[in-house]
């Protein structure tokens, strides 16, 4: 689940041109249209006790040094995004991580770059990733290409993925499906999860008892 934070979604559902006044990277209404699908996908994974990874950004240094190339590409990168009660890198509460989930903090587009993600996946014996979040043409695509390069089987869940523009979203889904991944619907992804072995990773991750007794 890549970067579904208030910085990319805004703190409420509103048109993108309004949302970007407070959150420079907001995808506006497209983000909130994806949330119900994301909730459905997450619930299916939790029912089967499938490990869930989230990524989000980190608070940068006051001098902006660790922003790297973002300083050149985004003229608003020095802005401090503040709405009382909402953090830019906070994952939206409607899909908030649970204690057993793994949260990866990153500075670059790909969730693999400079993070322990590969080590965690190796430890869990995972060979297949369902990737979604935002933006389709940015961090999602970067994660898909790196996952493909590490020889993972990759699925991109269409309705759970979003971007700032419809054209960018559609073109990148088309391109990733042609080269790096299988673009699947939420329904297909949920059905796939239901067919996986329940509790396969229980020895590694301490899933709560309520999920250990869950039924599909």
């Amino acid at each position: 689940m890549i970067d579904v934070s208030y910085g990319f979604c805004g703190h409420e559902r509103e048109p993108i041109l309004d949302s970007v006044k407070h959150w420079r990277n907001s995808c506006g209404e497209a983000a909130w249209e994806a949330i119900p699908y994301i909730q459905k996908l997450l619930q299916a994974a939790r029912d089967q006790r499938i490990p869930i990874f989230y990524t989000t950004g980190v608070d940068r240094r006051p001098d902006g040094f660790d922003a790297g190339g973002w300083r050149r590409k985004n003229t608003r990168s020095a802005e401090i995004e503040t709405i009382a009660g909402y953090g830019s890198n906070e994952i939206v509460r409607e899909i908030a991580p649970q204690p057993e989930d793994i949260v990866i903090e990153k500075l670059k587009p790909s969730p693999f770059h400079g993070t322990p993600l590969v080590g965690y996946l190796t430890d869990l014996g995972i060979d297949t990733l369902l990737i979604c979040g935002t933006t389709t043409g940015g961090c999602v695509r970067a994660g898909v290409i790196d996952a493909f390069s590490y020889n993972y089987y990759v699925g991109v869940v269409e309705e759970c993925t979003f971007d700032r523009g419809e054209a960018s979203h559609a073109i990148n889904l088309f391109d990733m499906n042609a080269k790096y991944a299988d673009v699947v619907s939420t329904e297909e992804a949920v059905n796939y999860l239901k067919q996986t072995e329940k509790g396969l990773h229980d020895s590694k991750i301490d899933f709560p008892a309520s999920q250990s007794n869950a039924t599909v």
Side-chain angles (χ1 to χ4, degrees):
M1 190 63 56
I2 295 180
D3 296 357
V4 187
S5 63
Y6 288 111
F8 284 97
C9 299
H11 64 291
E12 61 184 355
R13 184 185 180 119
E14 58 182 348
I16 189 170
L17 293 180
D18 294 325
S19 191
V20 295
K21 294 175 183 177
H22 298 289
W23 309 97
R24 61 179 176 270
N25 292 319
S26 177
C27 296
E29 291 176 306
W32 294 95
E33 290 170 1
I35 295 296
Y37 293 99
I38 292 173
Q39 290 173 320
K40 184 176 180 180
L41 182 68
L42 290 174
Q43 187 58 56
R46 297 194 199 286
D47 287 345
Q48 294 296 93
R49 302 197 298 277
I50 297 293
I52 298 171
F53 289 79
Y54 291 80
T55 74
T56 188
V58 296
D59 293 334
R60 295 174 181 163
R61 289 165 44 124
D63 61 9
F65 172 76
D66 52 354
W70 298 126
R71 291 190 294 179
R72 299 190 298 272
K73 293 300 296 181
N74 191 327
T75 57
R76 298 175 61 189
S77 63
E79 291 182 12
I80 299 175
E81 299 174 306
T82 56
I83 292 289
Y86 299 93
S88 176
N89 295 314
E90 179 187 356
I91 295 164
V92 298
R93 292 158 199 169
E94 286 80 355
I95 59 162
Q98 302 302 301
E100 69 276 11
D101 300 333
I102 301 99
V103 179
I104 302 288
E105 295 183 333
K106 64 187 181 72
L107 282 166
K108 300 300 181 183
S110 172
F112 292 91
H113 184 89
T115 77
L117 180 56
V118 169
Y120 293 157
L121 296 173
T122 299
D123 189 32
L124 290 166
I126 289 172
D127 64 2
T128 302
L129 304 178
L130 292 175
I131 296 179
C132 50
T134 194
T135 59
T136 316
C139 297
V140 170
R141 184 184 176 99
V144 166
I145 292 175
D146 276 358
F148 173 86
S149 299
Y150 280 113
N151 290 328
Y152 291 101
Y153 297 97
V154 184
V156 180
V157 188
E158 182 173 359
E159 300 94 340
C160 299
T161 307
F162 56 94
D163 209 321
R164 297 182 191 91
E166 292 181 12
S168 177
H169 175 69
I171 290 168
N172 278 282
L173 286 177
F174 174 87
D175 201 46
M176 287 187 287
N177 188 66
K179 299 175 182 177
Y180 310 115
D182 294 317
V183 175
V184 299
S185 68
T186 305
E187 182 179 2
E188 289 174 310
V190 167
N191 288 336
Y192 168 77
L193 290 173
K194 288 181 178 180
Q195 295 170 31
T196 61
E197 180 181 342
K198 182 181 289 187
L200 181 61
H201 304 283
D202 285 4
S203 64
K204 293 286 186 178
I205 295 178
D206 186 18
F207 290 93
S210 59
Q211 289 186 28
S212 297
N213 298 323
T215 57
V216 179

